[in-house]
Amino acid sequence: MAILPIRIWGDPVLHAPADRVDSITDDVRALVADMYETMDAAPGVGLAAPQVGVGLRIYTYTYEDDEGRPWRGEIINPELLMTPLVPGSPDEDEESEGCLSFPGERFPLRRSDRVVVTGTDIEGAPVQIDVEGWRARIMQHEFDHLDGVMYVDRISDGDWKTAQKIAKKRRWGVPGVSWTPGVDDLEG
């Protein structure tokens, strides 16, 4: 297993729809193992294959359920069903999120409160996840990555302008920029 470099906003793989996984091969298994290691080292609650430069429809996740039990998993070729989005502006304290591919920043973003995700795991077994709240936000965020959408693509115009200034200052927004957890200092 290895900690992989995480691509930063502007890399083409982050802005293109990912391809379906045709079969679960040893290469796919190794990728998923590396994604877990990278996600944990970052640390993050989710990581999509495009974030590590691989344009495949795979993501890993980790969270605690309401009883404090840890849940970890991977979803290959996920499908996402969500309840309708509640109209209105996001609550900055309750509805903000960040991204390992736009590191060190958080912006408010309204997401659906409940989702159902289906797909398969690394063994090819069917997976169905029905979650609400924070866990639903994780699933939507990672699923977006598979469609070439980053959360900063969904934020308000004012926050988008701020994100653009941050990206310009940090020299993001171009192909080939990445950071490696445990190696790179991301402080400005």
Side-chain angles (χ1 to χ4, degrees), residues 17-22 24 28 32 35 47-50 54-61 73-82 115-122 125-130 136 138-148:
D19 295 327
R20 288 186 58 81
V21 175
D22 292 328
I24 300 171
V28 170
V32 170
M35 288 172 62
L47 186 68
V54 179
L56 292 175
R57 297 189 74 77
I58 303 171
Y59 68 81
T60 58
Y61 63 88
E74 68 280 336
I75 303 180
I76 299 170
N77 298 327
E79 298 292 331
L80 176 78
L81 299 171
M82 54 189 179
V115 300
V116 177
V117 182
T118 58
T120 60
D121 67 14
I122 197 68
V127 173
Q128 179 173 326
I129 300 169
D130 186 340
I138 294 167
M139 297 297 152
Q140 291 168 83
H141 181 107
E142 299 310 326
F143 187 85
D144 270 354
H145 277 298
L146 305 182
D147 287 338

Side-chain angles (χ1 to χ4, degrees), residues 102-125:
F102 203 93
E105 304 300 327
R106 295 184 67 76
F107 292 100
L109 178 62
R110 170 85 21 121
R111 294 274 194 184
S112 293
D113 190 52
R114 180 173 175 258
V115 300
V116 177
V117 182
T118 58
T120 60
D121 67 14
I122 197 68
E123 302 303 324

Side-chain angles (χ1 to χ4, degrees), residues 9-90:
W9 180 84
D11 194 290
V13 73
L14 295 171
H15 305 285
D19 295 327
R20 288 186 58 81
V21 175
D22 292 328
S23 62
I24 300 171
T25 63
D26 287 343
D27 287 343
V28 170
R29 286 183 188 90
L31 171 64
V32 170
D34 291 346
M35 288 172 62
Y36 277 119
E37 190 165 346
T38 304
M39 178 180 67
D40 292 343
V45 295
L47 186 68
Q51 291 181 273
V52 294
V54 179
L56 292 175
R57 297 189 74 77
I58 303 171
Y59 68 81
T60 58
Y61 63 88
T62 183
Y63 59 78
E64 288 186 359
D65 67 14
D66 293 334
E67 286 77 43
R69 293 179 300 224
W71 285 84
R72 287 172 68 83
E74 68 280 336
I75 303 180
I76 299 170
N77 298 327
E79 298 292 331
L80 176 78
L81 299 171
M82 54 189 179
T83 58
L85 185 64
V86 175
S89 298

Side-chain angles (χ1 to χ4, degrees), residues 24 34 51 74 76 88 93 126 134 148-150 154-156 175 177:
I24 300 171
D34 291 346
Q51 291 181 273
E74 68 280 336
I76 299 170
D93 294 327
W134 172 245
V149 176
M150 289 189 53
R154 296 188 180 278
I155 59 179
S156 72
V177 180

